[in-house]
Amino acid sequence: MKQIIIIILLFFVGIQVTPAQKKKYVISGVIDNSNRPELLRVKDGDIAFLWFDNPKKKIEVPVKDGKFRIEGHVDHPTRCFFGVGGPAMYIILDNANYWVTLPYYVGSDKMKNILRIKSDSELFNTFMSWYDMDGKYYSELEKYKNKAKTCHPDSISIYKRKADAIKHEMDSISLSTARTFPNKYLLPFVLLRQFDFSYERLWKEYEKIPESIKMSPIGKEVRQRLLPKKNTLVQ
């Protein structure tokens, strides 16, 4: 009877411990070199790396048999620089799964590996969709800025108005996307990229961030970037 009671107690202790275990992130990749040009091949011993911005930290693992795996835990979603096989990109690292592939491009004048990442992190996926959209706006913005520099003087105001309209649309869509994301954890990441626009508005958006997120590394970074400008505006 005592043995049965002990087994039951251990069972319930196990149930209590399991939820308390920390969630972790896992970044894994399988790289197929079978048809890859020799110059672009990822060899055993080549490094897959994850560099943290805040706090500064580096994780580097060697590729072995065309595979790699990086895992750990973050207390808050954080911005990291990830790369393997040549290309690298900034990602938002959450406690989630990330699957990496490395397709390649061969053109008439260049060839390169291309980093592709899928994840079950809603935060990562929403940020990347927004980032791609924002990049297209930036391309349009640069086009109108360049035209304003090279066009006839009579047309400068036209292109400046078009550039201002693009900036306004970028600002509106970006903040709208960030506001509607659950728990507002997307907002500080969006604010960091939108520092060219409307500082007063960005500060007001920062004030809407929950206190727990303000105290996270990304929340503190946004405040450090915004505060000097806010002080300038209110003088």
Side-chain angles (χ1 to χ4, degrees):
M1 184 67 180
K2 288 183 178 179
Q3 288 179 334
I4 294 174
I5 294 174
I6 292 172
I7 291 171
I8 292 173
L9 287 173
L10 287 174
F11 174 77
F12 280 104
V13 168
I15 292 176
Q16 295 293 324
V17 170
T18 301
Q21 291 176 347
K22 288 184 177 181
K23 291 182 178 180
K24 63 181 181 180
Y25 62 82
V26 177
I27 305 174
S28 58
V30 178
I31 301 169
D32 182 7
N33 279 328
S34 57
N35 296 314
R36 195 179 301 272
E38 181 64 30
L39 184 63
L40 301 180
R41 291 194 174 190
V42 181
K43 301 175 178 62
D44 281 4
D46 286 352
I47 296 298
F49 63 85
L50 186 65
W51 297 349
F52 290 74
D53 276 358
N54 194 355
K56 296 285 186 183
K57 184 173 71 170
K58 290 183 179 181
I59 298 176
E60 299 177 341
V61 301
V63 174
K64 184 178 181 181
D65 298 327
K67 300 177 183 178
F68 67 88
R69 181 183 176 94
I70 301 174
E71 60 182 81
H73 169 82
V74 287
D75 292 327
H76 303 276
T78 186
R79 188 174 56 176
C80 296
F81 195 57
F82 170 78
V84 63
M89 62 186 288
Y90 271 104
I91 65 170
I92 292 181
L93 185 65
D94 204 355
N95 290 312
N97 294 301
Y98 297 79
W99 299 278
V100 180
T101 56
L102 205 68
Y104 63 90
Y105 168 81
V106 177
S108 57
D109 59 339
K110 62 180 177 180
M111 55 183 182
K112 62 179 181 179
N113 288 326
I114 303 168
L115 194 59
R116 295 281 185 264
I117 303 176
K118 292 184 178 180
S119 177
D120 55 14
S121 164
E122 185 181 359
L123 178 61
F124 171 84
N125 292 332
T126 304
F127 177 82
M128 293 309 299
S129 295
W130 166 78
Y131 189 87
D132 289 343
M133 175 200 68
D134 202 53
K136 293 175 183 177
Y137 276 112
Y138 265 111
S139 295
E140 284 290 299
L141 180 60
E142 288 304 309
K143 180 178 73 175
Y144 289 129
K145 283 182 176 180
N146 290 333
K147 284 187 175 181
K149 293 176 183 177
T150 59
C151 70
H152 189 278
D154 293 342
S155 301
I156 291 176
S157 60
I158 296 174
Y159 290 118
K160 283 187 174 180
R161 282 197 300 271
K162 288 184 176 181
D164 288 340
I166 291 289
K167 287 167 66 175
H168 178 74
E169 192 169 354
M170 289 171 70
D171 189 32
S172 298
I173 292 177
S174 295
L175 294 179
S176 175
T177 301
R179 282 194 210 103
T180 56
F181 189 82
N183 77 19
K184 297 202 182 299
Y185 232 124
L186 183 62
L187 189 53
F189 293 98
V190 169
L191 293 182
L192 277 182
R193 183 167 164 85
Q194 297 303 99
F195 264 69
D196 289 340
F197 313 114
S198 181
Y199 281 86
E200 291 148 315
R201 185 176 178 188
L202 293 178
W203 181 264
K204 290 178 182 177
E205 293 298 328
Y206 167 80
E207 288 293 310
K208 298 174 185 176
I209 297 174
E211 204 61 37
S212 60
I213 300 177
K214 286 181 181 177
M215 296 307 295
S216 71
I218 189 68
K220 291 178 180 178
E221 185 176 352
V222 170
R223 181 177 178 83
Q224 289 170 358
R225 294 275 301 276
L226 274 174
L227 193 57
K229 185 63 177 180
K230 179 176 184 289
N231 290 337
T232 301
L233 291 171
V234 297
Q235 285 177 358

